[in-house]
Amino acid sequence: MTRYPLEALGTVREQAERTAEERLAAALDARARAAAAVEEARATLEAHRRAEAARRREADRLTGTTTSAALLREEAFRRRQDRETEALRREIERARERERAAARGVEAAREALNDAAVEKAVVERHRARWEAERAKILERRSEEALEEAARGRR
């Protein structure tokens, strides 16, 4: 039987679909890691806030009469804490952006997988039509050969 003329294309389309599936899996994994990073950044900020609240409570408990030096230390400490809090908030925003980018990557990977599956299906349908046509041609040739043989006997 004649070899299917688009055999190589079918193989390429199957490989493209496998590759697209692998990329989708990687994109889903990246999105999960990005979501975990957002949660971790939020937890870090929350822990920072709890530690700050505990430290302030402890400082208030221990502080009797406050001196100007103690007040200056406290103000410097609070400014540092504010900078750290702001840095943690920026990290959360960066983590959210990475999560959004990962979600866009998942969507692109899903679209690529869909495209690859459609292209593979087109080749498969073409092959099925080609094989059906080949079968009709072979059947017709067989019938013609039988008719020729029958005519030769007469």
Side-chain angles (χ1 to χ4, degrees), residues 7-17:
E7 185 77 34
L9 180 61
T11 302
V12 167
R13 295 300 181 219
E14 287 174 11
Q15 180 58 40
E17 184 179 41

Side-chain angles (χ1 to χ4, degrees), residues 12 18 22 27 29 39 45 59 62 68 71 81 83 91 93-94 99 122 127 136 148 153:
V12 167
R18 282 192 299 274
E22 292 166 2
D29 187 49
E39 290 307 312
L45 177 59
L62 294 175
S68 62
L71 288 173
Q81 288 293 97
R83 285 190 307 271
E91 178 54 34
E93 189 51 42
R94 286 189 299 270
E99 183 180 31
V122 167
R127 182 179 190 137
K136 286 180 187 177
E148 184 69 31
R153 288 187 191 165

Side-chain angles (χ1 to χ4, degrees), residues 2-15 123-124 126-127 130-131:
T2 304
R3 184 169 175 219
Y4 178 57
L6 299 179
E7 185 77 34
L9 180 61
T11 302
V12 167
R13 295 300 181 219
E14 287 174 11
Q15 180 58 40
V123 172
E124 289 171 345
H126 180 269
R127 182 179 190 137
W130 179 83
E131 288 175 345

Side-chain angles (χ1 to χ4, degrees), residues 2-149:
T2 304
R3 184 169 175 219
Y4 178 57
L6 299 179
E7 185 77 34
L9 180 61
T11 302
V12 167
R13 295 300 181 219
E14 287 174 11
Q15 180 58 40
E17 184 179 41
R18 282 192 299 274
T19 300
E21 288 170 347
E22 292 166 2
R23 286 184 180 158
L24 177 58
L28 288 169
D29 187 49
R31 185 180 65 183
R33 285 191 315 272
V38 168
E39 290 307 312
E40 183 179 337
R42 286 181 180 154
T44 300
L45 177 59
E46 186 57 35
H48 177 75
R49 287 179 177 160
R50 282 193 306 272
E52 170 63 7
R55 194 214 53 80
R56 285 184 181 171
R57 281 192 305 275
E58 183 64 17
D60 290 345
R61 188 183 67 76
L62 294 175
T63 307
T65 54
T66 54
T67 65
S68 62
L71 288 173
L72 289 173
R73 280 193 309 273
E74 178 65 21
E75 182 58 30
F77 181 78
R78 287 179 188 217
R79 280 194 305 263
R80 183 178 62 80
Q81 288 293 97
D82 289 345
R83 285 190 307 271
E84 290 172 357
T85 299
E86 186 55 34
L88 289 170
R89 285 185 184 134
R90 285 191 306 270
E91 178 54 34
I92 289 172
E93 189 51 42
R94 286 189 299 270
R96 285 179 180 158
E97 180 52 40
R98 288 188 299 269
E99 183 180 31
R100 287 187 292 269
R104 288 188 300 270
V106 167
E107 187 58 33
R110 281 189 175 135
E111 288 174 10
L113 176 57
N114 186 50
D115 292 347
V118 167
E119 290 171 358
K120 179 183 164 196
V122 167
V123 172
E124 289 171 345
R125 283 192 305 272
H126 180 269
R127 182 179 190 137
R129 286 191 307 269
W130 179 83
E131 288 175 345
E133 185 63 31
R134 292 286 304 153
K136 286 180 187 177
I137 290 170
L138 291 175
E139 184 178 337
R140 189 172 59 239
R141 285 182 185 164
S142 175
E143 288 174 2
E144 288 172 357
L146 287 174
E147 288 175 8
E148 184 69 31

